[in-house]
């Protein structure tokens, strides 16, 4: 039988991106297991390795040290495939709040693409998205929540059917301060979501 056709270029790029990020993640973990990590120089090296790892998650053209491309700092191809979601789930616990916020901003920015993806459920990614908002300042959590209704009813309806996006929504709504200090964002989110909940009762 003839060999199967090669995957399209975008899939090759995603595979290469995942492999490069995994290599950077291994380097960071090796450094973290050494005694040198507790020294000032070791901490600086950890920072450099962490930034290098995060740069591997960027969209094409997002070089190290460059500002995040429009739509978020993380490649939508990673967020829409199983291997990419597993990778992001492994990286998220290592990130300081500013980089963690960038990941969540990318998820919200690419909500429509993620909602339409065929990626199977990645439990670690869902758990990370549910937990991460609680680590953010209330202003950032409120901004993410306020951005959700801007995607429109059709995309929100699809998003509620995706476990990772439902997990993120739950995490944002359960932020310990958002209900009191960002009430307008919470009310706007509920106003957009309530007409859709009868279609997605399992999300609640």
């Amino acid at each position: 039988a003839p060999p199967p056709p090669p995957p399209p270029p975008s899939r090759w790029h995603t595979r290469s991106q995942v492999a490069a990020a995994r290599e950077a993640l291994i380097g960071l973990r090796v450094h973290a297991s050494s005694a040198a990590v507790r020294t000032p120089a070791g901490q600086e090296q950890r920072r450099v390795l962490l930034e290098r790892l995060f740069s591997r998650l960027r969209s094409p053209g997002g070089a190290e040290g460059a500002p995040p491309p429009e739509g978020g700092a993380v490649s939508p191809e990673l967020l829409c495939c199983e291997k990419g979601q597993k990778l992001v789930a492994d990286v998220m616990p290592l990130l300081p709040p500013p980089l963690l916020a960038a990941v969540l901003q990318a998820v919200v920015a690419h909500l429509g693409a993620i909602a339409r993806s065929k990626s199977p459920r990645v439990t670690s990614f869902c758990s990370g998205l549910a937990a991460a908002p609680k680590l953010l300042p209330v202003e950032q959590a409120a901004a993410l929540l306020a951005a959700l209704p801007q995607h429109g009813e059709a995309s929100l309806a699809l998003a509620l059917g995706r476990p990772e996006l439902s997990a993120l929504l739950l995490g944002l709504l359960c932020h310990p301060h958002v209900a009191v200090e960002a009430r307008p964002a919470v009310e706007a989110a509920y106003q957009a979501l309530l007409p859709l909940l009868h279609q997605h009762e399992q999300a609640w």
Side-chain angles (χ1 to χ4, degrees):
S10 61
R11 192 178 302 174
W12 274 116
H13 172 80
T14 302
R15 287 182 179 179
S16 175
Q17 188 175 14
V18 169
R22 286 286 178 196
E23 184 177 353
L25 179 58
I26 290 171
L28 181 62
R29 286 172 170 169
V30 169
H31 177 67
S33 66
S34 69
V37 74
R38 292 188 288 271
T39 67
Q43 286 295 303
E44 174 62 18
Q45 179 65 9
R46 181 185 184 280
R47 184 191 65 78
V48 171
L49 290 171
L50 189 57
E51 289 185 356
R52 182 176 302 161
L53 168 60
F54 189 74
S55 75
R56 301 294 186 262
L57 306 182
R58 291 188 186 279
S59 298
E64 279 186 56
E70 185 177 355
V74 180
S75 163
E77 289 79 13
L78 292 181
L79 298 174
C80 292
C81 72
E82 182 180 12
K83 288 186 176 180
Q85 290 188 358
K86 288 181 178 178
L87 168 66
V88 175
D90 287 343
V91 172
M92 285 172 66
L94 305 173
L95 299 178
L99 296 185
L100 187 60
V103 171
L104 299 187
Q105 288 164 4
V107 173
V108 171
H110 300 299
L111 179 143
I114 299 171
R116 291 187 295 271
S117 72
K118 303 300 182 182
S119 172
R121 178 189 179 97
V122 176
T123 301
S124 58
F125 188 55
C126 294
S127 299
L129 291 179
K134 302 177 185 66
L135 303 176
L136 300 183
V138 64
E139 297 83 4
Q140 289 182 334
L144 291 170
L145 196 57
L148 292 174
Q150 299 174 18
H151 286 277
E153 185 173 312
S155 290
L156 282 179
L158 285 174
L160 286 175
R162 292 290 307 185
E164 63 272 67
L165 297 174
S166 293
L168 175 59
L169 176 60
L170 180 63
L172 289 170
L173 291 172
C174 291
H175 188 284
H177 304 295
V178 76
V180 174
E181 299 181 34
R183 190 176 183 86
V186 174
E187 291 177 345
Y190 274 116
Q191 185 175 1
L193 293 168
L194 283 175
L196 309 173
L197 295 185
H198 70 282
Q199 305 172 37
H200 299 284
E201 293 181 7
Q202 77 278 5
W204 303 89

